[in-house]
Amino acid sequence: MWWPANLVQVSLFRALHEKEERPKGGVTRTQFFLIAFICSFAYYVFPGYMFEMLTSLSWICWIFPTSVLAQQLGSGLYGLGIAAVGLDWSTISAYLGSPLASPWFATANVAVGFVFVMYVLTPICYWLNVYKAKTFPIFSDDLFTSTGQEYNISSIITSNFHLNITAYEEEGPLYLSTFFAMTYGVGFAALSATAVHVLLFHGREIWEQSKSSFKDKGMDIHTRLMTRYKQVPEWWFWSILVANIAFTIFACQYYNDQLQLPWWGVLLACAIAIVFTLPIGIITAITNQTPGLNIITEYIIGYIYPGYPVANMCFKVYGYISMTQAVTFLQDFKLGHYMKIPPRTMFMAQVVGTLIAGFVYLGTAWWMMETIPDICETTDSSSPWTCPSDRVFYDASVIWGLIGPRRIFGDEGVYEAVNWFFLAGAVAPVLVWLAHKAFPKQEWIGLINMPVLISSTGMMPPATAVNYTTWVIAGFLSGFVVYRYRPDWWQRHNYVLSGALDAGLAFMGVLLYLCLGLEDISVDWWGNDLDGCSYATCPTAKGVFVEGCPVFD
């Protein structure tokens, strides 16, 4: 069967290699890009400034403005997002990337996983009051006490960023919202599912490819064409690897009071990144979805080295982010391979780009911290600088680093049973593999990718329900409807449209900030109330008081 996964490759090749000619009665790809770019650029002034509610149209909240249940169900930003939709490309592509670049079967796997976690598992756990779920919001990345109040982290942390055991015992155990707790369980399952899936479905292929690579056999046309260029010597890669590990160990040892991570933590993080780059790279190559190592890196260092939140963050960066950057590096090299760019040119572009990006990121962060008052504070609802990803990063450092997994997910914690997700994730790919072997003619069984399906909600939070629902709708329209009825248009314009939408959004976003954001000029009206679901974060347990929420008897 001819699936959109193949069409993604066709579309990429046509975009990179096909001769640019004006089709009869149509426009060239360059003209199409400019038209789409201008439309995206002009449109983003509405969701980005004038009518921000377009980010999440949660119309169920409008119908039931005083109902906590309805707003929990309908809020696209703070609830389950039923029927919520965002008419904003940044809502669609902010966390999962462009849906136009994912094959349709991968989009279907993400959709099934999202529906199961968001609309089956989470509501069941919430309305059965599992782990006092009704005491907290149904969807939130905040940390809570057993009474539903926000956890006072500053009271349990010492001046040198260590856990004050006495203060923690007085404050009591830390609780998570229903969905936040489920995402950690899903993260456990996704890790074991990735390892088992790659072993079952791609183990033989990896072995055969490894043997053929040592014998210089099986080169495709692209590899043969690239042999005319000088290859990058392996010692270049080894030199950079060794130098970076050495500098990292030096920094962690010299600034140990600040970074907290010992030298062996750096080596362990690098080992985790190296081991998981291959299986996760395979999943990414097939589905354009990348399972993360963030939870397992936090889990490991949290058990080995509890009470050190900064060390936990550093370990996650060296383990998880290194793997992610390695996969991105391979993607760029593969693109250069298809475009016949000399490998040494690609290598130097990567090195120079990394150096420039490092200084730019550091300078930008420094400038924003100095110039934007109360950055990342959520108390000022009018400020766009709420930093959702950084808040989740901070919460993770508290959960896994400061308090430690043993006091939350271990024998001393509330959520010990969540560890069973590891077993569930390992069993799920086995069931698919057995079904595929039992019914080989049913091709759709082979398209069930458990690592992608299970890890589909891995970006939530900070991603919200409306990010997913809108992404799935756009991916379905692109990967199935357009492919089915206009495959030639899809092949010619898919990547061009995706790039144009991204570019238009980026340019208008920068322009709005430079012209209006720096001067703190905003439009104050109901259309800029992002969600309009003020009760979506309210608890429903009896007697729990939260400011601005009704109290249930």
Side-chain angles (χ1 to χ4, degrees):
M1 183 177 291
W2 185 246
W3 286 93
N6 305 96
L7 276 175
V8 171
Q9 300 175 7
V10 173
S11 178
L12 177 61
F13 280 115
R14 293 185 69 169
L16 297 178
H17 296 291
E18 190 175 63
K19 185 177 180 180
E20 182 72 11
E21 294 179 355
R22 181 193 295 272
K24 186 176 181 181
V27 296
T28 65
R29 282 196 301 273
T30 302
Q31 292 171 331
F32 178 80
F33 176 88
L34 291 175
I35 293 172
F37 169 80
I38 293 172
C39 292
S40 175
F41 178 83
Y43 176 76
Y44 187 67
V45 72
F46 295 101
Y49 180 72
M50 296 180 64
F51 196 2
E52 295 177 358
M53 189 177 282
L54 292 173
T55 298
S56 177
L57 296 172
S58 305
W59 58 270
I60 291 181
C61 297
W62 309 341
I63 300 175
F64 304 99
T66 60
S67 171
V68 174
L69 175 61
Q71 297 197 19
Q72 285 178 331
L73 296 175
S75 174
L77 298 181
Y78 307 107
L80 302 185
I82 295 176
V85 64
L87 303 180
D88 174 12
W89 183 248
S90 67
T91 299
I92 298 173
S93 62
Y95 296 100
L96 295 173
S98 173
L100 308 185
S102 290
W104 184 79
F105 82 92
T107 303
N109 276 277
V110 172
V112 171
F114 168 74
V115 168
F116 176 76
V117 174
M118 199 71 178
Y119 300 138
V120 178
L121 188 60
T122 299
I124 289 176
C125 291
Y126 184 82
W127 279 295
L128 290 179
N129 204 27
V130 178
Y131 298 126
K132 299 183 179 180
K134 293 184 179 181
T135 309
F136 322 110
I138 192 171
F139 180 91
S140 174
D141 60 2
D142 291 329
L143 310 177
F144 301 95
T145 65
S146 59
T147 59
Q149 305 304 310
E150 187 172 344
Y151 206 95
N152 186 9
I153 303 300
S154 60
S155 68
I156 64 170
I157 192 169
T158 63
S159 58
N160 58 346
F161 297 103
H162 294 296
L163 177 64
N164 186 328
I165 300 295
T166 303
Y168 173 73
E169 292 176 349
E170 292 176 356
E171 187 76 12
L174 180 145
Y175 283 84
L176 310 174
S177 70
T178 305
F179 187 82
F180 204 4
M182 288 301 102
T183 58
Y184 280 127
V186 168
F188 297 163
L191 181 75
S192 55
T194 298
V196 174
H197 175 91
V198 172
L199 181 64
L200 292 176
F201 285 90
H202 306 287
R204 182 184 297 274
E205 180 184 354
I206 292 173
W207 176 250
E208 295 296 333
Q209 289 290 337
S210 299
K211 290 194 298 183
S212 65
S213 64
F214 286 109
K215 298 177 181 179
D216 293 329
K217 293 181 179 180
M219 289 194 300
D220 58 22
I221 181 62
H222 302 286
T223 305
R224 288 198 296 270
L225 290 173
M226 290 296 286
T227 56
R228 71 180 67 181
Y229 298 119
K230 288 184 178 181
Q231 299 301 306
V232 179
E234 287 192 13
W235 69 266
W236 289 14
F237 294 100
W238 284 109
S239 298
I240 291 179
L241 176 64
V242 172
N244 275 279
I245 292 177
F247 282 130
T248 301
I249 292 176
F250 170 78
C252 288
Q253 288 296 109
Y254 190 80
Y255 297 101
N256 190 257
D257 290 340
Q258 292 81 15
L259 299 180
Q260 300 180 341
L261 187 66
W263 63 269
W264 54 262
V266 176
L267 297 180
L268 179 59
C270 292
I272 292 173
I274 291 171
V275 168
F276 281 96
T277 294
L278 178 60
I280 290 180
I282 290 174
I283 300 298
T284 304
I286 296 172
T287 65
N288 198 40
Q289 301 297 318
T290 305
L293 292 179
N294 52 320
I295 292 177
I296 194 59
T297 51
E298 295 163 341
Y299 199 110
I300 290 174
I301 195 64
Y303 253 111
I304 298 175
Y305 206 52
Y308 296 89
V310 181
N312 196 280
M313 289 190 291
C314 291
F315 188 87
K316 179 166 70 171
V317 168
Y318 296 137
Y320 163 48
I321 304 298
S322 295
M323 180 278 299
T324 304
Q325 292 296 329
V327 172
T328 304
F329 179 82
L330 292 172
Q331 288 176 325
D332 292 345
F333 254 83
K334 192 65 175 179
L335 184 61
H337 187 77
Y338 287 148
M339 296 180 68
K340 309 302 177 291
I341 299 174
R344 295 193 176 193
T345 303
M346 282 291 298
F347 181 87
M348 293 308 299
Q350 291 280 1
V351 171
V352 173
T354 300
L355 292 174
I356 294 174
F359 288 107
V360 171
Y361 288 165
L362 180 61
T364 302
W366 198 296
W367 171 70
M368 293 180 71
M369 294 287 287
E370 293 292 329
T371 59
I372 300 176
D374 300 324
I375 189 171
C376 298
E377 289 289 338
T378 57
T379 53
D380 183 8
S381 60
S382 64
S383 173
W385 303 103
T386 56
C387 315
S389 297
D390 298 305
R391 288 183 59 82
V392 174
F393 205 97
Y394 169 77
D395 291 342
S397 72
V398 172
I399 294 169
W400 302 101
L402 182 64
I403 299 176
R406 186 177 181 184
R407 294 188 180 93
I408 298 180
F409 296 100
D411 57 341
E412 299 179 2
V414 177
Y415 301 97
E416 183 181 5
V418 176
N419 288 286
W420 286 102
F421 277 84
F422 278 115
L423 178 60
V427 171
V430 176
L431 299 179
V432 176
W433 183 77
L434 292 174
H436 183 59
K437 292 296 183 182
F439 306 99
K441 294 184 180 180
Q442 300 297 323
E443 296 183 11
W444 65 270
I445 296 178
L447 296 175
I448 300 175
N449 192 297
M450 276 298 171
V452 173
L453 190 151
I454 294 174
S455 66
S456 59
T457 56
M459 293 303 297
M460 299 178 70
T464 61
V466 71
N467 295 121
Y468 272 75
T469 54
T470 312
W471 187 89
V472 168
I473 292 171
F476 178 82
L477 292 175
S478 167
F480 182 75
V481 176
V482 178
Y483 147 71
R484 183 171 182 177
Y485 296 104
R486 294 292 302 275
D488 186 67
W489 187 97
W490 194 95
Q491 294 175 35
R492 288 183 54 86
H493 298 98
N494 181 60
Y495 277 92
V496 178
L497 176 61
S498 179
L501 294 173
D502 287 339
L505 167 66
F507 277 97
M508 177 54 78
V510 172
L511 184 63
L512 287 174
Y513 175 69
L514 293 178
C515 296
L516 301 171
L518 285 176
E519 300 297 327
D520 196 23
I521 301 174
S522 60
V523 180
D524 186 13
W525 70 301
W526 65 266
N528 280 344
D529 181 1
L530 275 180
D531 198 45
C533 303
S534 57
Y535 288 165
T537 58
C538 292
T540 57
K542 294 181 179 180
V544 177
F545 173 78
V546 174
E547 187 177 353
C549 294
V551 179
F552 291 82
D553 299 325

